[in-house]
Amino acid sequence: MNEGASRARHVAIIMDGNGRWAKRHHVPRAMGHRRGVEAVRKLVRSVESMGLECLTLYAFSSENWKRPDEEVSDLMNLMRKFIKSDLPEFMANDVRLKIIGDWQGLAPDIVEMLEDALEQTAKGRHTLAVALNYGSQQEIARAASKAAGKGEITVESITAELDTAALPPLDLLIRTSGEVRLSNFLLWQCAYAEMLFVDTLWPDFEPEHLQTALDDFATRERRYGGR
Ligand code: IPE
Ligand code: IPE
Ligand code: MG
């Protein structure tokens, strides 16, 4: 193993490709999203055994509101169902839920469900951070404005005001579906994160894929500008 290599503490995933999965299987787009939630469920169950401190999932971007109303409403309903059905599982798997993004801007019943879920999972040892109504540029702007209100704007003062302030530094960012872009996700946090772009469509992403990614991460040498 390289000297700079280590075990990942914090992995983030851009879960992309539900629509293309549905197209490939000749089923409605909504089915692709449903299968995407299944993939999330399986992954969350395995986070504890993989020893990850934090898994951050990009579930809905601040730009995803641009999609047709029907799709947005399907996604919101899936979110409602997921929180309701999986809350006991989170607790059983020692998972603490955390939400990043402008989630207070979601429908009031979802906000209420999330508040309840946050409270009930507060003692979990493994963090599942879900990015909802999340846009990284917006997050940085919010953080900078809070930092400015408290004094000098520095890298540290902005970092301390980001939604991710309480999370471990980001080690590895994965994007599924073959797209090679960040789509306004964790721009600041990616400064020295390792990146992995895989062709697998999100509904086909299995815990074994994450394990392979973690094994790959462990062989990488991180330099942070040094040598
Ligand atoms: C990701 O899948 C899910 C969300 C963005 C909510 P997409 O719906 O973006 O799937 P593609 O990219 O069209 O295949
Ligand atoms: C990013 O995927 C957002 C989520 C996975 C939630 P998109 O499918 O929205 O990104 P673009 O539009 O292809 O960049
Ligand atoms: Mg997409």
Side-chain angles (χ1 to χ4, degrees), residues 31 57-58 73 79 98 108 133 135 143 152 165 185 187 199 210-211 214 223:
M31 179 64 88
L57 299 176
Y58 202 6
S73 132
M79 215 179 288
K98 159 101 191 149
N133 195 14
E152 208 191 340
F185 190 49
L187 306 179
D199 288 334
L210 179 58
Q211 190 55 60
L214 292 174
R223 293 186 172 177

Side-chain angles (χ1 to χ4, degrees), residues 60-79:
F60 192 85
S61 77
S62 35
E63 288 74 34
N64 285 147
W65 297 108
K66 290 184 205 157
R67 296 190 179 202
D69 291 349
E70 194 188 334
E71 181 171 0
V72 170
S73 132
D74 281 343
L75 288 168
M76 294 300 151
N77 284 332
L78 276 175
M79 215 179 288

